[in-house]
């Protein structure tokens, strides 16, 4: 495994992830409403039409399912570029990258940017500072993301193993 390439991939992935999250979020915060804390969603829906936000609703499953498929493809490509050629190496390297992105999302995007940028606040919830600064909420979702990341990273390892045979 080429560690220089891996480090560059980590930095590049953080930049791309930031753009993929922040650009739609700043343009239309409602796009990510299913990821907002429940009290923010409830306050928003007091004055706006209710849309499905449950984890098992069709729109949420479609968004997250497509994102996971895209992640598997990207992870496979990145692992092949890094030079890993075995299941365990691909799984561990891809999961390491997953963790870096997950922790960056929690500690930087959620705790710092999401909590403080007014442009990502849903209309009618701009004054809910304490609801936007819920570190425990974002930490719990980060732990869930860490657990969910095992599946695409296992798939990545499996695909890399099949390709390298």
């Amino acid at each position: 495994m080429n560690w220089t390439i891996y480090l560059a991939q980590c930095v590049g992935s953080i930049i791309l992830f930031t753009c993929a999250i922040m650009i739609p979020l700043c343009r239309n915060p409602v796009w990510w409403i299913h990821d907002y804390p429940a009290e923010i969603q409830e306050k928003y829906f007091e004055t706006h039409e209710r849309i499905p936000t449950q984890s098992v609703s069709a729109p949420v499953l479609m968004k997250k399912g497509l994102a996971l498929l895209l992640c598997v493809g990207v992870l496979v490509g990145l692992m092949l570029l890094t030079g890993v050629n075995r299941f365990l190496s691909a799984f561990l390297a891809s999961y390491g990258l997953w963790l870096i992105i997950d922790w960056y999302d929690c500690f930087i995007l959620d705790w710092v940017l999401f909590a403080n940028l007014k442009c990502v606040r849903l209309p009618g919830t701009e004054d809910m500072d304490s609801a936007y600064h819920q570190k425990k909420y974002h930490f719990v979702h980060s732990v869930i993301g860490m657990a969910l990341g095992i599946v695409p990273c296992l798939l990545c390892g499996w695909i890399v193993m099949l390709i390298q045979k």
Side-chain angles (χ1 to χ4, degrees):
M1 181 161 119
N2 186 320
W3 287 99
T4 304
I5 292 174
Y6 185 74
L7 181 59
Q9 290 173 348
C10 290
V11 171
S13 295
I14 286 172
I15 292 167
L16 289 175
F17 182 80
T18 302
C19 292
I21 297 299
M22 293 306 292
I23 291 171
L25 187 61
C26 289
R27 288 184 149 185
N28 181 14
V30 179
W31 174 257
W32 295 109
I33 193 166
H34 56 276
D35 286 333
Y36 282 71
E39 55 270 26
I40 294 172
Q41 290 181 32
E42 289 307 313
K43 174 85 172 181
Y44 175 79
F45 289 134
E46 287 175 4
T47 57
H48 295 82
E49 182 181 346
R50 185 168 290 278
I51 57 174
T53 59
Q54 301 83 4
S55 299
V56 294
S57 66
V60 175
L61 286 174
M62 188 176 343
K63 284 179 191 174
K64 297 209 176 198
L66 288 173
L68 282 175
L69 285 175
L70 179 64
C71 284
V72 170
V74 169
L75 287 171
V76 168
L78 292 175
M79 294 308 104
L80 292 172
L81 286 172
T82 305
V84 296
N85 55 10
R86 293 178 305 168
F87 170 82
L88 187 59
S89 300
F91 168 71
L92 292 175
S94 63
Y95 192 64
L97 179 56
W98 184 280
L99 291 178
I100 289 167
I101 298 294
D102 183 81
W103 295 337
Y104 167 79
D105 180 41
C106 178
F107 302 126
I108 304 299
L109 293 183
D110 291 340
W111 286 11
V112 177
L113 295 179
F114 178 78
N116 296 300
L117 287 178
K118 301 295 184 192
C119 66
V120 302
R121 295 197 176 188
L122 295 170
T125 67
E126 296 88 355
D127 62 333
M128 299 179 70
D129 284 331
S130 62
Y132 280 95
H133 283 84
Q134 292 185 49
K135 290 184 176 175
K136 181 181 176 185
Y137 172 86
H138 296 292
F139 183 77
V140 166
H141 282 81
S142 175
V143 171
I144 293 168
M146 290 165 53
L148 289 175
I150 292 171
V151 173
C153 294
L154 285 170
L155 283 171
C156 173
W158 181 69
I159 293 168
V160 166
M161 179 187 70
L162 290 177
I163 291 172
Q164 294 297 328
K165 277 190 172 186

